[in-house]
Amino acid sequence: FSHYGAGTFCGLPTYLSKHYIINTIMFNQEYNELVKKGVTPEVYIDESCLFTIPSDMMINQIVEKQRGKYRHGSCGLGINETIERNLRNTMLVRHIQYDRRDDIERFIAYVNKDYVIARLKRLGVKSINLDDLENMFSYEIIRRYALDFQLMLSRATVVKNSEFLKKYNDIIFEGGQGLLLDMNKLEYFPHLTRSKTGLTNVVDILNDAGLQDEKVDVNYITRCYLTRHGAGYLPRELDHKPYEKVLDLTNTPNEFQGKLRFAYLDLDLIEKTINKDFGCRNNFKKNIAITCLDQADTIKIYKSNTPLLLSEKELIQWFKDMGFDNIYTSHGMTRNDVKLV
């Protein structure tokens, strides 16, 4: 899932808020896969969403490849490039949702001509593979993208803001990436994402919807070990899996992020990062979920730079002592494996 909520198979609708960056191609690919599985997703798109165009992804991939061992850890989907382009050529969903296909094509062609080469030069790219250049300016790619955009809009409902959320009794917010990837974690620059990955956007959406006084359960999630996919900070990184039974079917090795990286839990880092994100919020509950516990018999952690071996029961007690309101555990791959302890 990247464009659809985890509750899609339960018949729940998805809202892509103004903080979301849409990848039209992926939206339709995922939609088709869900339909094959017997689900027709219900999706709302905020009219203020940014959207990625093919040249955003291509610039991202060209630059990341040329960084070599100094890569930022990008997934190659053009998130940062989409934001950078919009600083100069702002184009939101609302600007083209009623336009004809040729208007979308003209916009992309204009960006390609007016912006792309200049942007690559600013990023220090001295030479460009002819195939990359041909793909970037290919009319066929632009045409297919415009058709994809029209198809996406036919499969979704565009809304002006988040006020429509008031009609629901329960709303589930899904975080996109880990707290340490937040754009404001400048101590870890440049290995960050161009978004706010904690509570900031959630609070903003609640305020916009007039739901700022609602009670909110905040569920932070960690495996019983640390992982990172892509370059960047990982304390005490291991050169092997932390536990023999570790299995990950999702974060497969790829050209831009390499293979999944591992480390043991650092409880000080977890506590410091979560407390900073959570702050003082009187109507919020601070919960934590610990997953993949079926993959470890005893759990190695670091506390005050000291390595310790803990049982699951002892690890849970550590989290209780940190002041979490509720603690959940997961011992498998289904909802039946999740318990409140």
Side-chain angles (χ1 to χ4, degrees), residues 1 15 25-26 31 48 52 61 79 81-83 99 151 159 165 179 184 187 206 257 265 278 294 296 299 301 327 340:
F1 291 97
Y15 171 48
I25 301 165
M26 292 178 65
Y31 188 98
S48 296
T52 298
Q61 293 171 16
I79 302 298
E81 288 307 316
T82 302
I83 295 170
D99 283 0
L151 182 59
V159 294
L165 294 176
L179 292 180
N184 291 325
E187 63 269 38
L206 289 171
Q257 293 179 293
L265 276 187
F278 190 81
D294 54 313
I299 301 151
I301 60 104
I327 298 175
L340 173 63

Side-chain angles (χ1 to χ4, degrees), residues 15-21 45-50 162 201 204-205 208:
Y15 171 48
L16 303 179
S17 80
K18 65 182 180 180
H19 300 290
Y20 192 85
I21 297 175
I45 296 176
D46 195 292
E47 66 173 13
S48 296
C49 279
L50 300 178
S162 58
N201 291 344
D204 185 51
I205 295 168
D208 284 352

Side-chain angles (χ1 to χ4, degrees), residues 90-157:
T90 302
M91 186 62 74
L92 310 176
V93 167
R94 70 168 172 265
H95 293 141
I96 63 172
Q97 63 169 305
Y98 303 116
D99 283 0
R100 298 167 309 193
R101 193 188 82 210
D102 56 346
D103 291 325
I104 303 172
E105 292 176 1
R106 276 200 297 271
F107 167 68
I108 298 174
Y110 168 77
V111 169
N112 287 351
K113 179 182 177 182
D114 181 65
Y115 174 80
V116 168
I117 298 300
R119 174 63 178 162
L120 286 168
K121 286 181 178 178
R122 283 199 299 275
L123 289 167
V125 175
K126 294 182 172 58
S127 62
I128 305 173
N129 183 291
L130 288 178
D131 288 339
D132 289 335
L133 202 59
E134 185 176 335
N135 286 335
M136 200 171 300
F137 295 102
S138 163
Y139 171 70
E140 180 58 25
I141 287 178
I142 295 173
R143 186 187 70 84
R144 287 207 311 265
Y145 177 86
L147 289 170
D148 262 333
F149 202 99
Q150 287 184 313
L151 182 59
M152 177 193 74
L153 291 179
S154 74
R155 291 170 162 178
T157 301

Side-chain angles (χ1 to χ4, degrees), residues 151-175:
L151 182 59
M152 177 193 74
L153 291 179
S154 74
R155 291 170 162 178
T157 301
V158 177
V159 294
K160 288 186 176 297
N161 51 51
S162 58
E163 284 190 2
F164 82 102
L165 294 176
K166 286 182 179 178
K167 70 180 182 180
Y168 296 101
N169 293 325
D170 297 288
I171 304 167
I172 302 169
F173 292 89
E174 294 187 42

Side-chain angles (χ1 to χ4, degrees), residues 227-242:
T227 64
R228 181 157 193 155
H229 206 188
Y233 176 68
L234 184 61
R236 305 181 189 90
E237 182 174 358
L238 302 169
D239 59 4
H240 53 80
K241 295 191 298 186

